[in-house]
Amino acid sequence: MKTSKASESYVPLYFLTSVGAGGLAVTFFMYLMFWVPHPGRSVPVFEDIMAAWATGGTPLKFAIFAAVVGIAIFVFLNLKSLIWNLSHYAEFKKTERYTNLRNSNAETTLLAMPLALAMSVNALFIAGLVFVPKLWTIVEYLFPLALIAFALIAYSALRTIADFLGRVLSKGGVFDVTAHNSFAQLLPSFALIMAAVGFSAPAAMSTQPAVVAISIIGSTLLGTAALIYALLAVVTAFNSMLHYGTSEEAGPTLLIIIPFVTIFSIMFMRQDHGLHTTFNSHSTAADTLMFLAKGLSVQLVFLGLGLTVLRRQGYFKDFVFGNKTSAGSYALVCPGVALSVLTHFFVNKGLVSAGVIEKFDITYWAITAIAIGFQLAMVALVFRLNTQHYGFHEPTAVPAE
């Protein structure tokens, strides 16, 4: 019976397959977010898209078509992968490998599940905005449900983090410092910030002060926890990497700071929008420009660091273009997605809003082309990795003893 490499050697990190697909759906939503007019709303909805399709020129219609098809494909892949992972994870929990994982540094890889769940909720909300007519007329009723969903996901993540920290901090000698030579331990932070950005969405879209306040306070709590955990994990991991070098299979985790910064930035802008529209707080376009510029600067620093190490290790030759497979390869998708999304925000909410460039001029499209380049590269990477990991083949024969 034919099987796939992912099925043969399943680990919870395969939830990153779902995360990457969901992230790509977000990159296609950026076309609609910044190119389709949506007066009176912070995001475009079905009616705005249909109006733009009816009145827009050929370039806009092409962009809308690409966005809608892209969102449909990658939300489908996101949900398909999530269901596949939940099924395999249920079987994985019955094995000795799961017991061993719960008693090792790799216990934090369990946080890939709440991370994927949070991404799927975000992806479904985008799909609802794009494909469901009149959704905006009932959206205020959906916000409390979204807050409950993200609160439950955050609780699941925090409980797993508590189990891990309780085990390693209550007694010495159970955390292997020599195996801490990567940024793999930032996965809990990634899960928390993903829940936080979802929790912050009502702040940018709701008109109810109580909902906006709960959204801002809750996302601040989760975002702060994610930031503190990330700082501690980075410092201790970098010390271990200086001593023992970077773990080859975990090399892509050096880039995890990039999606962390994008998600944190989106959370901040959603909160800022809610504070402005609901509580009369004001920040200037220049403030937003500098905030986004600093975020991109941090991302480029870690992009340079990560690519330097990965090239030295020959990671792409082995795990992307070669025959070796590692579930951690899917961690390469999120940084490219994150750079694409934050570049769109930098151009539109930073440079255009501050009056540095004109929307749709040559400079606008030159920088936007970089964002689209990152996006297309990640689309190609996802399909390449899916072929490697999920392509069916005859199972490896086990030699008789």
Side-chain angles (χ1 to χ4, degrees):
M1 180 179 178
K2 290 186 177 182
T3 183
S4 66
K5 292 182 179 180
S7 295
E8 289 176 352
S9 56
Y10 178 78
V11 290
L13 277 180
Y14 273 115
F15 276 104
L16 294 180
T17 311
S18 178
V19 176
L24 281 170
V26 176
T27 64
F28 282 100
F29 185 70
M30 293 296 99
Y31 296 6
L32 306 176
M33 179 75 178
F34 295 118
W35 303 341
V36 170
H38 43 276
R41 283 184 282 266
S42 55
V43 291
V45 297
F46 176 84
E47 287 75 16
D48 299 317
I49 298 167
M50 290 298 99
W53 179 268
T55 60
T58 300
L60 180 57
K61 287 183 178 180
F62 177 80
I64 291 172
F65 177 79
V68 169
V69 172
I71 290 168
I73 290 173
F74 285 104
V75 169
F76 171 77
L77 290 177
N78 166 267
L79 297 176
K80 177 184 176 183
S81 179
L82 179 67
I83 294 168
W84 182 91
N85 271 278
L86 290 172
S87 173
H88 279 69
Y89 180 69
E91 294 300 318
F92 177 72
K93 289 182 69 175
K94 302 173 185 177
T95 67
E96 186 179 350
R97 290 174 59 224
Y98 172 79
T99 303
N100 294 335
L101 182 143
R102 290 302 299 254
N103 291 283
S104 70
N105 290 18
E107 183 177 9
T108 52
T109 62
L110 298 177
L111 272 300
M113 181 173 69
L115 170 63
L117 290 172
M119 175 58 85
S120 292
V121 175
N122 285 316
L124 283 171
F125 190 73
I126 286 176
L129 293 175
V130 173
F131 296 110
V132 180
K134 299 187 181 301
L135 182 69
W136 202 253
T137 61
I138 60 168
V139 73
E140 289 291 353
Y141 298 100
L142 299 179
F143 290 142
L145 298 177
L147 291 174
I148 291 171
F150 284 113
L152 291 173
I153 292 170
Y155 172 76
S156 172
L158 289 167
R159 191 170 68 173
T160 303
I161 294 170
D163 288 342
F164 173 72
L165 291 179
R167 179 175 63 83
V168 301
L169 296 179
S170 61
K171 52 186 177 181
V174 297
F175 185 80
D176 186 359
V177 178
T178 64
H180 186 32
N181 54 340
S182 71
F183 285 170
Q185 293 300 324
L186 267 73
L187 191 55
S189 296
F190 199 1
L192 288 177
I193 198 64
M194 186 65 76
V197 76
F199 212 89
S200 69
M205 291 179 271
S206 178
T207 58
Q208 302 300 312
V211 172
V212 173
I214 293 171
S215 174
I216 291 173
I217 294 169
S219 58
T220 299
L221 172 61
L222 293 173
T224 301
L227 184 60
I228 292 172
Y229 199 107
L231 290 172
L232 293 174
V234 166
V235 171
T236 55
F238 205 80
N239 179 63
S240 183
M241 285 188 286
L242 290 174
H243 280 83
Y244 307 108
T246 304
S247 169
E248 183 180 7
E249 284 202 35
T253 63
L254 294 179
L255 302 171
I256 199 172
I257 294 295
I258 297 173
F260 185 91
V261 170
T262 291
I263 297 170
F264 182 85
S265 299
I266 293 173
M267 182 193 78
F268 176 83
M269 287 186 288
R270 285 175 170 179
Q271 291 179 336
D272 185 65
H273 184 84
L275 288 169
H276 169 69
T277 58
T278 306
F279 300 111
N280 204 32
S281 174
H282 299 282
S283 60
T284 66
D287 293 332
T288 303
L289 171 63
M290 288 308 301
F291 174 75
L292 293 171
K294 291 171 185 176
L296 271 174
S297 298
V298 173
Q299 290 182 323
L300 292 176
V301 168
F302 279 94
L303 178 66
L305 171 65
L307 292 181
T308 297
V309 174
L310 290 170
R311 281 199 300 264
R312 287 290 186 92
Q313 292 179 330
Y315 187 92
F316 294 99
K317 180 182 67 176
D318 291 338
F319 292 98
V320 177
F321 303 110
N323 296 321
K324 294 183 180 180
T325 56
S326 168
S329 297
Y330 280 95
L332 292 170
V333 178
C334 294
V337 165
L339 281 166
S340 177
V341 170
L342 198 63
T343 300
H344 277 294
F345 273 96
F346 176 68
V347 171
N348 292 277
K349 295 295 187 181
L351 296 176
V352 172
S353 294
V356 178
I357 63 174
E358 291 292 328
K359 192 165 187 177
F360 303 141
D361 68 7
I362 294 176
T363 305
Y364 178 94
W365 287 117
I367 305 175
T368 298
I370 298 173
I372 296 174
F374 279 123
Q375 176 195 36
L376 296 179
M378 293 306 103
V379 169
L381 179 60
V382 163
F383 286 114
R384 167 62 182 171
L385 293 176
N386 284 352
T387 300
Q388 283 181 299
H389 291 256
Y390 294 95
F392 289 110
H393 67 281
E394 294 294 340
T396 304
V398 179
E401 297 182 358

PDB file of all heavy atoms in Angstrom, residues 220-239:
ATOM      1  N   THR A 220      -3.215  42.386  24.100  1.00  0.00           N
ATOM      2  CA  THR A 220      -2.027  42.930  24.769  1.00  0.00           C
ATOM      3  C   THR A 220      -1.444  41.922  25.737  1.00  0.00           C
ATOM      4  O   THR A 220      -0.224  41.729  25.817  1.00  0.00           O
ATOM      5  CB  THR A 220      -2.366  44.230  25.500  1.00  0.00           C
ATOM      6  OG1 THR A 220      -2.821  45.209  24.554  1.00  0.00           O
ATOM      7  CG2 THR A 220      -1.146  44.780  26.239  1.00  0.00           C
ATOM      8  N   LEU A 221      -2.305  41.254  26.491  1.00  0.00           N
ATOM      9  CA  LEU A 221      -1.848  40.235  27.437  1.00  0.00           C
ATOM     10  C   LEU A 221      -1.112  39.112  26.716  1.00  0.00           C
ATOM     11  O   LEU A 221       0.005  38.734  27.086  1.00  0.00           O
ATOM     12  CB  LEU A 221      -3.042  39.673  28.206  1.00  0.00           C
ATOM     13  CG  LEU A 221      -2.764  38.458  29.117  1.00  0.00           C
ATOM     14  CD1 LEU A 221      -1.760  38.821  30.205  1.00  0.00           C
ATOM     15  CD2 LEU A 221      -4.058  37.941  29.733  1.00  0.00           C
ATOM     16  N   LEU A 222      -1.732  38.579  25.657  1.00  0.00           N
ATOM     17  CA  LEU A 222      -1.117  37.474  24.919  1.00  0.00           C
ATOM     18  C   LEU A 222       0.146  37.930  24.198  1.00  0.00           C
ATOM     19  O   LEU A 222       1.143  37.215  24.152  1.00  0.00           O
ATOM     20  CB  LEU A 222      -2.117  36.899  23.912  1.00  0.00           C
ATOM     21  CG  LEU A 222      -3.331  36.187  24.508  1.00  0.00           C
ATOM     22  CD1 LEU A 222      -4.327  35.822  23.420  1.00  0.00           C
ATOM     23  CD2 LEU A 222      -2.901  34.933  25.266  1.00  0.00           C
ATOM     24  N   GLY A 223       0.102  39.131  23.616  1.00  0.00           N
ATOM     25  CA  GLY A 223       1.272  39.650  22.915  1.00  0.00           C
ATOM     26  C   GLY A 223       2.447  39.885  23.842  1.00  0.00           C
ATOM     27  O   GLY A 223       3.599  39.619  23.488  1.00  0.00           O
ATOM     28  N   THR A 224       2.159  40.375  25.051  1.00  0.00           N
ATOM     29  CA  THR A 224       3.231  40.593  26.028  1.00  0.00           C
ATOM     30  C   THR A 224       3.851  39.280  26.468  1.00  0.00           C
ATOM     31  O   THR A 224       5.081  39.155  26.569  1.00  0.00           O
ATOM     32  CB  THR A 224       2.674  41.344  27.258  1.00  0.00           C
ATOM     33  OG1 THR A 224       2.120  42.599  26.839  1.00  0.00           O
ATOM     34  CG2 THR A 224       3.771  41.590  28.276  1.00  0.00           C
ATOM     35  N   ALA A 225       3.006  38.279  26.719  1.00  0.00           N
ATOM     36  CA  ALA A 225       3.519  36.956  27.089  1.00  0.00           C
ATOM     37  C   ALA A 225       4.385  36.380  25.976  1.00  0.00           C
ATOM     38  O   ALA A 225       5.462  35.814  26.232  1.00  0.00           O
ATOM     39  CB  ALA A 225       2.357  36.013  27.392  1.00  0.00           C
ATOM     40  N   ALA A 226       3.935  36.550  24.729  1.00  0.00           N
ATOM     41  CA  ALA A 226       4.703  36.046  23.587  1.00  0.00           C
ATOM     42  C   ALA A 226       6.046  36.751  23.476  1.00  0.00           C
ATOM     43  O   ALA A 226       7.085  36.125  23.210  1.00  0.00           O
ATOM     44  CB  ALA A 226       3.905  36.245  22.301  1.00  0.00           C
ATOM     45  N   LEU A 227       6.065  38.060  23.687  1.00  0.00           N
ATOM     46  CA  LEU A 227       7.296  38.834  23.570  1.00  0.00           C
ATOM     47  C   LEU A 227       8.303  38.453  24.654  1.00  0.00           C
ATOM     48  O   LEU A 227       9.502  38.269  24.372  1.00  0.00           O
ATOM     49  CB  LEU A 227       6.971  40.336  23.653  1.00  0.00           C
ATOM     50  CG  LEU A 227       8.147  41.291  23.459  1.00  0.00           C
ATOM     51  CD1 LEU A 227       8.775  41.089  22.084  1.00  0.00           C
ATOM     52  CD2 LEU A 227       7.686  42.738  23.637  1.00  0.00           C
ATOM     53  N   ILE A 228       7.826  38.310  25.899  1.00  0.00           N
ATOM     54  CA  ILE A 228       8.728  37.933  26.992  1.00  0.00           C
ATOM     55  C   ILE A 228       9.322  36.552  26.749  1.00  0.00           C
ATOM     56  O   ILE A 228      10.539  36.332  26.893  1.00  0.00           O
ATOM     57  CB  ILE A 228       7.971  37.971  28.343  1.00  0.00           C
ATOM     58  CG1 ILE A 228       7.609  39.418  28.709  1.00  0.00           C
ATOM     59  CG2 ILE A 228       8.812  37.340  29.451  1.00  0.00           C
ATOM     60  CD1 ILE A 228       6.710  39.530  29.914  1.00  0.00           C
ATOM     61  N   TYR A 229       8.484  35.605  26.354  1.00  0.00           N
ATOM     62  CA  TYR A 229       8.963  34.245  26.095  1.00  0.00           C
ATOM     63  C   TYR A 229       9.972  34.253  24.949  1.00  0.00           C
ATOM     64  O   TYR A 229      11.007  33.570  24.999  1.00  0.00           O
ATOM     65  CB  TYR A 229       7.781  33.337  25.743  1.00  0.00           C
ATOM     66  CG  TYR A 229       8.070  31.858  25.887  1.00  0.00           C
ATOM     67  CD1 TYR A 229       7.529  31.121  26.933  1.00  0.00           C
ATOM     68  CD2 TYR A 229       8.892  31.196  24.982  1.00  0.00           C
ATOM     69  CE1 TYR A 229       7.795  29.767  27.075  1.00  0.00           C
ATOM     70  CE2 TYR A 229       9.170  29.848  25.106  1.00  0.00           C
ATOM     71  CZ  TYR A 229       8.617  29.130  26.159  1.00  0.00           C
ATOM     72  OH  TYR A 229       8.891  27.792  26.288  1.00  0.00           O
ATOM     73  N   ALA A 230       9.689  35.045  23.905  1.00  0.00           N
ATOM     74  CA  ALA A 230      10.583  35.096  22.748  1.00  0.00           C
ATOM     75  C   ALA A 230      11.948  35.652  23.131  1.00  0.00           C
ATOM     76  O   ALA A 230      12.985  35.113  22.712  1.00  0.00           O
ATOM     77  CB  ALA A 230       9.956  35.946  21.645  1.00  0.00           C
ATOM     78  N   LEU A 231      11.972  36.708  23.930  1.00  0.00           N
ATOM     79  CA  LEU A 231      13.242  37.303  24.333  1.00  0.00           C
ATOM     80  C   LEU A 231      14.097  36.316  25.123  1.00  0.00           C
ATOM     81  O   LEU A 231      15.309  36.175  24.881  1.00  0.00           O
ATOM     82  CB  LEU A 231      12.991  38.568  25.159  1.00  0.00           C
ATOM     83  CG  LEU A 231      12.418  39.760  24.390  1.00  0.00           C
ATOM     84  CD1 LEU A 231      12.040  40.884  25.356  1.00  0.00           C
ATOM     85  CD2 LEU A 231      13.415  40.264  23.353  1.00  0.00           C
ATOM     86  N   LEU A 232      13.470  35.612  26.059  1.00  0.00           N
ATOM     87  CA  LEU A 232      14.212  34.631  26.862  1.00  0.00           C
ATOM     88  C   LEU A 232      14.714  33.476  25.991  1.00  0.00           C
ATOM     89  O   LEU A 232      15.861  33.029  26.134  1.00  0.00           O
ATOM     90  CB  LEU A 232      13.319  34.093  27.983  1.00  0.00           C
ATOM     91  CG  LEU A 232      12.927  35.103  29.069  1.00  0.00           C
ATOM     92  CD1 LEU A 232      11.922  34.485  30.032  1.00  0.00           C
ATOM     93  CD2 LEU A 232      14.168  35.572  29.834  1.00  0.00           C
ATOM     94  N   ALA A 233      13.867  33.006  25.073  1.00  0.00           N
ATOM     95  CA  ALA A 233      14.250  31.877  24.226  1.00  0.00           C
ATOM     96  C   ALA A 233      15.379  32.251  23.269  1.00  0.00           C
ATOM     97  O   ALA A 233      16.302  31.459  23.038  1.00  0.00           O
ATOM     98  CB  ALA A 233      13.034  31.384  23.434  1.00  0.00           C
ATOM     99  N   VAL A 234      15.333  33.464  22.725  1.00  0.00           N
ATOM    100  CA  VAL A 234      16.376  33.897  21.792  1.00  0.00           C
ATOM    101  C   VAL A 234      17.720  34.011  22.491  1.00  0.00           C
ATOM    102  O   VAL A 234      18.750  33.534  21.980  1.00  0.00           O
ATOM    103  CB  VAL A 234      16.001  35.250  21.147  1.00  0.00           C
ATOM    104  CG1 VAL A 234      17.207  35.878  20.453  1.00  0.00           C
ATOM    105  CG2 VAL A 234      14.878  35.062  20.141  1.00  0.00           C
ATOM    106  N   VAL A 235      17.730  34.632  23.659  1.00  0.00           N
ATOM    107  CA  VAL A 235      18.994  34.833  24.382  1.00  0.00           C
ATOM    108  C   VAL A 235      19.628  33.502  24.758  1.00  0.00           C
ATOM    109  O   VAL A 235      20.823  33.268  24.531  1.00  0.00           O
ATOM    110  CB  VAL A 235      18.767  35.704  25.637  1.00  0.00           C
ATOM    111  CG1 VAL A 235      20.028  35.728  26.504  1.00  0.00           C
ATOM    112  CG2 VAL A 235      18.377  37.119  25.235  1.00  0.00           C
ATOM    113  N   THR A 236      18.842  32.599  25.331  1.00  0.00           N
ATOM    114  CA  THR A 236      19.400  31.310  25.762  1.00  0.00           C
ATOM    115  C   THR A 236      19.785  30.447  24.564  1.00  0.00           C
ATOM    116  O   THR A 236      20.803  29.743  24.591  1.00  0.00           O
ATOM    117  CB  THR A 236      18.398  30.554  26.642  1.00  0.00           C
ATOM    118  OG1 THR A 236      17.143  30.417  25.951  1.00  0.00           O
ATOM    119  CG2 THR A 236      18.160  31.298  27.949  1.00  0.00           C
ATOM    120  N   ALA A 237      19.000  30.505  23.479  1.00  0.00           N
ATOM    121  CA  ALA A 237      19.307  29.714  22.293  1.00  0.00           C
ATOM    122  C   ALA A 237      20.574  30.217  21.613  1.00  0.00           C
ATOM    123  O   ALA A 237      21.405  29.419  21.149  1.00  0.00           O
ATOM    124  CB  ALA A 237      18.140  29.745  21.308  1.00  0.00           C
ATOM    125  N   PHE A 238      20.745  31.513  21.555  1.00  0.00           N
ATOM    126  CA  PHE A 238      21.936  32.058  20.899  1.00  0.00           C
ATOM    127  C   PHE A 238      23.196  31.664  21.663  1.00  0.00           C
ATOM    128  O   PHE A 238      24.232  31.362  21.048  1.00  0.00           O
ATOM    129  CB  PHE A 238      21.830  33.585  20.806  1.00  0.00           C
ATOM    130  CG  PHE A 238      22.629  34.168  19.680  1.00  0.00           C
ATOM    131  CD1 PHE A 238      22.134  34.149  18.385  1.00  0.00           C
ATOM    132  CD2 PHE A 238      23.872  34.719  19.898  1.00  0.00           C
ATOM    133  CE1 PHE A 238      22.864  34.674  17.332  1.00  0.00           C
ATOM    134  CE2 PHE A 238      24.614  35.245  18.861  1.00  0.00           C
ATOM    135  CZ  PHE A 238      24.109  35.228  17.573  1.00  0.00           C
ATOM    136  N   ASN A 239      23.106  31.640  22.968  1.00  0.00           N
ATOM    137  CA  ASN A 239      24.246  31.195  23.778  1.00  0.00           C
ATOM    138  C   ASN A 239      24.595  29.744  23.453  1.00  0.00           C
ATOM    139  O   ASN A 239      25.772  29.383  23.299  1.00  0.00           O
ATOM    140  CB  ASN A 239      23.910  31.340  25.262  1.00  0.00           C
ATOM    141  CG  ASN A 239      25.035  30.866  26.156  1.00  0.00           C
ATOM    142  OD1 ASN A 239      26.131  31.412  26.148  1.00  0.00           O
ATOM    143  ND2 ASN A 239      24.764  29.825  26.930  1.00  0.00           N
TER     144      ASN A 239
END
